[in-house]
Amino acid sequence: MAEPLLKVENLRVEFPTRRGTLCAVDDVSFHIQPGEVLGVVGESGAGKSMTGIAVIGLLEAPGRIAGGRIVLEGQRIDDLPYEEKRKLRGRKIGAIFQDPLTSLNPLYTVERQLIETIRTHLEVSESEAFERAVSLLREVGIPAPEQRIKHYPHQFSGGMRQRVVIALALCAEPSLIIADEPTTALDVSIQAQIITLLKRLCRDHGTSVMLVTHDMGVIAETAHRVAVMYAGRLVEVGPVKDVVRNPSHPYTAGLMASIPVIGRKVENLSQIDGSMPRLNAIPEGCAFSPRCPQVMERCRRERPPLDTRGRTEVSCWLHAGESVDA
Amino acid sequence: MAAYIVRRILQAIVVMLTVALIAFSLFRFVGDPILALVGQDTTLEEQAELRKELGLTDPVVVQFARFVGNVARGELGISYGQRRPVIDMFKERLPATLELSLLSAVLAIGIGIPMGIYSGLHRDGWLSRVFQTVSLVGISLPPFLVGILLIYLFAVFIGVLPSQGRGDTVQLGWWSTGLLTWSGIKSLILPAITLGLFQMTLIMRLVRSEMLEVLRTDYIKFARARGLKNRVVNFGHALKNTLVPVITVTGLQVGSIVAFAVITETVFQWPGLGFLFLQSVQTVDIPVMAAYLVFVAAFFVIINLIVDLLYYVIDPRLRLDRTTSSDHGG
């Protein structure tokens, strides 16, 4: 296999609080190949966004990376000084956030925000930067970019603003984009357009994407592989078809079963009983054990490691014996 | 843009007319102006004649219109106490008040804003904690107490700065300035600190809380995620977004500096308008009081007008241009 673009190994993110240390991301390992789209799913608070933020190096104090390594293009980046990390942001790793309405500075024109980003990372003149900004806007599908570039964010609709945000993320041709719930704040009809755009751009530019979302539909449509997170831990990661159709971990299975299918009438929507534990009350052993329908004695005592033998990597004692090949 | 300015100016005129009405009412309701003017041995006939001569028998509306017209031409009447045109007294006193207020405002803004930015960026730094503590003092001590404490410390105890007056002044036309002599500058220091301290701490606390607020927003996070330099994010993106509330409050505070000068000028025997006003209150010198009222109101109105125009410059969302597209669909 080719050398992965991004390797995250045993990442641990901690938040010291007055009542002890909370572990928001606990021993998470995954990798992303060049040009690959990795979906990261999980409930709110499962640690998916936090993982993305740790990768771009924007954890806010008192949060900190307490263990593990993040390696981008063969270079370790989690222990770089702030200034070095800053240079990677935008240049090597682009980011797209959830809410396009609040992601843009309301007081500056789109032109100014694009050009300052381009000129931060690339050695180009003002006019070259302008040319590039216009062509980026054209590429993300903004009509009449020469005129629209002079406008302020409030003069764009939500979907158009997310296109501008994507253009900003692409300014310096990063090799990885971390998209944190890029469509959650948008109308359903516009969501599909943005996802299609993102897919096309990444294919054209060979950009890898870490797509953080809780929308399984988006994942199934976009991602090559999917990582499922629960209570700060990785429970399963594998090719999207396998994970969606034939989930190995009981939590993933519950998650898939809870997605209603259009056209099929059911009495009750399927759901997983209980709720995800809070970060300060994660049970011993497997974090999912109190809710797991297939729980065993061992699950409550010992934490299952991520079994990396098969195509799908899973962290569950049910699969401790055999390697998982769906 | 033009419509916006015209609307603001019309509003300002309405405010000024209202204030003029209040000032005008002072003459009518605070005692009889004729009795204040004439001596004890004036006969009733002479009083009636004077009343007619001064136009006090005309309908109220006519009198008010005449008053507004006079004020607009700079004729503020004659002081009862000093028997001199109020406008001349104002010309003598205005430079003292404006120089004091200007320096206080420069201190308040020039020190308050950087302190606020610093403690917003370094929320938990020790220097920020010092600023917070000092600002608590500035915000809770009344100016007259600060003034007296400063006089005690610097004028009495250490004895390096004068405790009262303007020092030597230089006459530039009708404007007398204390900024060109050493003793004039030394005399300005204590009153300026006294007058500006409250405003400085208020501005500092406001800038700090606005900075903290803005630094939490998504567009600041996104700006960092784009790899922009810290300096650009903090001073370009963040600071500019704090400006609208900061300018609002700062503008009003500059107005109150002029208004609060009454107290500080009294403590330091500063020969400015505020001190003149307080003296005129003691002697019920209504023309002076009315003129001061109009002056302070005009100052506030002008500052508000400037603030409104600055909003317009800073925030594109307020420029209600009709070309704003409302395109739907992504």
Side-chain angles (χ1 to χ4, degrees):
Chain A
M1 216 191 314
E3 177 69 9
L5 175 78
L6 177 77
K7 256 195 308 192
V8 173
E9 294 169 356
N10 309 102
L11 181 69
R12 189 178 166 87
V13 175
E14 287 181 351
F15 282 83
T17 65
R18 250 174 264 164
R19 289 191 222 138
T21 301
L22 298 181
C23 193
V25 177
D26 189 355
D27 199 22
V28 165
S29 302
F30 63 90
H31 58 88
I32 302 180
Q33 297 294 336
E36 183 183 49
V37 178
L38 176 76
V40 181
V41 285
E43 296 167 52
S44 305
K48 18 184 231 307
S49 296
M50 204 55 79
T51 308
I53 286 170
V55 171
I56 52 176
L58 280 179
L59 271 180
E60 274 172 40
R64 63 191 192 92
I65 295 178
R69 292 171 6 120
I70 301 170
V71 179
L72 182 77
E73 294 177 340
Q75 185 200 6
R76 185 165 174 188
I77 61 169
D78 58 290
D79 58 353
L80 288 177
Y82 183 89
E83 188 57 19
E84 294 302 309
K85 276 192 198 168
R86 176 189 71 72
K87 285 183 188 153
L88 288 177
R89 286 199 289 271
R91 184 73 190 89
K92 293 282 181 196
I93 312 175
I96 299 168
F97 289 149
Q98 179 168 359
D99 192 348
L101 300 182
T102 56
S103 287
L104 299 169
N105 188 335
L107 303 187
Y108 290 146
T109 58
V110 166
E111 173 182 9
R112 174 156 179 186
Q113 302 191 44
L114 279 163
I115 287 181
E116 71 180 354
T117 313
I118 293 168
R119 298 199 71 193
T120 298
H121 298 294
L122 306 176
E123 293 283 328
V124 292
S125 69
E126 186 81 21
S127 61
E128 285 169 319
F130 180 81
E131 291 300 314
R132 183 173 173 81
V134 170
S135 73
L136 275 165
L137 287 185
R138 189 174 295 117
E139 203 181 349
V140 296
I142 287 178
E146 292 88 352
Q147 284 101 56
R148 295 294 267 158
I149 196 169
K150 303 283 179 198
H151 286 180
Y152 287 93
H154 71 275
Q155 293 167 302
F156 290 84
S157 66
M160 282 295 164
R161 277 192 234 185
Q162 193 64 306
R163 285 169 192 258
V164 174
V165 168
I166 292 172
L168 279 163
L170 290 174
C171 270
E173 293 261 332
S175 42
L176 172 68
I177 284 184
I178 295 180
D180 189 352
E181 309 261 11
T183 57
T184 308
L186 300 173
D187 287 350
V188 178
S189 58
I190 295 164
Q191 283 184 4
Q193 296 176 11
I194 293 293
I195 286 297
T196 311
L197 172 72
L198 204 57
K199 266 169 80 171
R200 195 196 76 218
L201 289 172
C202 294
R203 203 178 48 235
D204 292 355
H205 295 257
T207 314
S208 304
V209 182
M210 176 174 164
L211 180 64
V212 175
T213 179
H214 56 253
D215 187 337
M216 280 310 296
V218 169
I219 295 276
E221 209 175 300
T222 319
H224 302 108
R225 288 191 309 130
V226 56
V228 184
M229 288 189 71
Y230 184 81
R233 301 170 184 185
L234 199 61
V235 297
E236 180 166 358
V237 52
V240 73
K241 270 187 209 143
D242 299 349
V243 175
V244 170
R245 294 214 192 114
N246 196 359
S248 306
H249 196 284
Y251 175 66
T252 319
L255 205 59
M256 297 307 154
S258 65
I259 301 168
V261 179
I262 291 176
R264 191 193 299 165
K265 256 206 150 80
V266 285
E267 274 303 301
N268 292 310
L269 287 173
S270 170
Q271 61 174 25
I272 309 172
D273 291 332
S275 60
M276 198 172 70
R278 286 190 212 179
L279 289 180
N280 58 5
I282 294 176
E284 216 179 311
C286 174
F288 188 58
S289 60
R291 301 169 72 189
C292 183
Q294 292 164 276
V295 65
M296 302 179 292
E297 192 47 40
R298 191 181 186 185
C299 303
R300 300 192 209 274
R301 281 184 284 110
E302 283 175 70
R303 182 173 163 184
L306 191 68
D307 183 345
T308 55
R309 285 174 296 173
R311 232 179 352 158
T312 295
E313 301 172 3
V314 61
S315 155
C316 181
W317 289 122
L318 281 175
H319 305 280
E322 87 280 26
S323 84
V324 183
D325 257 321
Chain B
M1 176 75 186
Y4 177 84
I5 296 175
V6 168
R7 201 166 57 234
R8 286 280 175 266
I9 289 176
L10 286 178
Q11 285 167 352
I13 289 173
V14 171
V15 171
M16 283 314 296
L17 281 176
T18 313
V19 172
L21 186 63
I22 295 169
F24 172 70
S25 315
L26 275 178
F27 289 96
R28 316 249 348 140
F29 299 114
V30 186
D32 184 344
I34 294 297
L35 292 183
L37 278 175
V38 299
Q40 265 185 333
D41 49 356
T42 319
T43 63
L44 284 176
E45 288 76 38
E46 282 171 325
Q47 284 185 22
E49 202 174 313
L50 188 60
R51 204 177 289 277
K52 194 161 185 184
E53 196 182 308
L54 291 176
L56 293 174
T57 48
D58 293 341
V60 178
V61 181
V62 175
Q63 289 189 43
F64 179 57
R66 193 187 300 133
F67 175 77
V68 171
N70 286 342
V71 170
R73 282 199 305 275
E75 287 169 24
L76 301 172
I78 292 176
S79 158
Y80 295 166
Q82 299 199 20
R83 312 266 165 186
R84 294 171 56 205
V86 175
I87 188 74
D88 291 348
M89 295 163 68
F90 263 51
K91 274 186 180 170
E92 278 169 29
R93 303 288 194 122
L94 188 66
T97 293
L98 284 189
E99 283 183 359
L100 173 61
S101 305
L102 184 75
L103 192 67
S104 303
V106 167
L107 277 179
I109 296 168
I111 299 178
I113 289 182
M115 274 169 80
I117 295 172
Y118 181 87
S119 53
L121 291 178
H122 308 275
R123 177 156 58 148
D124 299 317
W126 65 269
L127 195 54
S128 304
R129 289 176 205 274
V130 172
F131 286 167
Q132 282 293 95
T133 314
V134 170
S135 77
L136 214 59
V137 173
I139 229 157
S140 36
L141 286 185
F144 66 86
L145 188 59
V146 173
I148 291 169
L149 289 176
L150 286 177
I151 288 175
Y152 180 74
L153 189 63
F154 288 100
V156 180
F157 194 67
I158 305 179
V160 285
L161 294 170
S163 67
Q164 55 160 297
R166 277 187 93 186
D168 301 328
T169 56
V170 175
Q171 210 67 29
L172 299 173
W174 62 271
W175 186 279
S176 66
T177 179
L179 295 174
L180 296 176
T181 65
W182 183 230
S183 80
I185 290 171
K186 279 209 304 198
S187 307
L188 255 175
I189 295 173
L190 290 186
I193 293 174
T194 308
L195 187 54
L197 188 66
F198 175 81
Q199 274 71 24
M200 184 188 91
T201 51
L202 198 74
I203 289 171
M204 181 216 130
R205 293 177 82 93
L206 179 77
V207 170
R208 174 181 180 272
S209 65
E210 288 297 327
M211 276 301 271
L212 288 175
E213 183 99 350
V214 169
L215 287 173
R216 273 199 297 271
T217 58
D218 285 350
Y219 55 82
I220 293 300
K221 274 188 211 137
F222 188 55
R224 293 200 200 285
R226 283 188 273 145
L228 301 185
K229 296 195 176 84
N230 264 345
R231 184 174 46 80
V232 175
V233 176
N234 293 338
F235 295 96
H237 289 256
L239 186 60
K240 194 170 180 192
N241 272 284
T242 66
L243 283 183
V244 165
V246 168
I247 284 178
T248 310
V249 173
T250 305
L252 290 177
Q253 289 307 319
V254 170
S256 1
I257 282 180
V258 174
F260 272 118
V262 174
I263 296 164
T264 306
E265 288 184 2
T266 308
V267 171
F268 287 93
Q269 299 286 301
W270 189 260
L273 287 176
F275 194 34
L276 176 71
F277 173 72
L278 212 74
Q279 287 171 330
S280 72
V281 169
Q282 282 158 0
T283 58
V284 202
D285 199 340
I286 290 170
V288 177
M289 287 159 67
Y292 185 75
L293 188 65
V294 172
F295 164 75
V296 171
F299 206 83
F300 267 97
V301 165
I302 290 169
I303 285 174
N304 267 320
L305 206 59
I306 294 172
V307 165
D308 281 339
L309 295 180
L310 283 177
Y311 284 172
Y312 195 90
V313 174
I314 293 169
D315 196 335
R317 287 166 294 186
L318 298 176
R319 293 173 216 155
L320 304 162
D321 59 304
R322 300 281 168 257
T323 61
T324 301
S325 63
S326 51
D327 56 329
H328 283 284

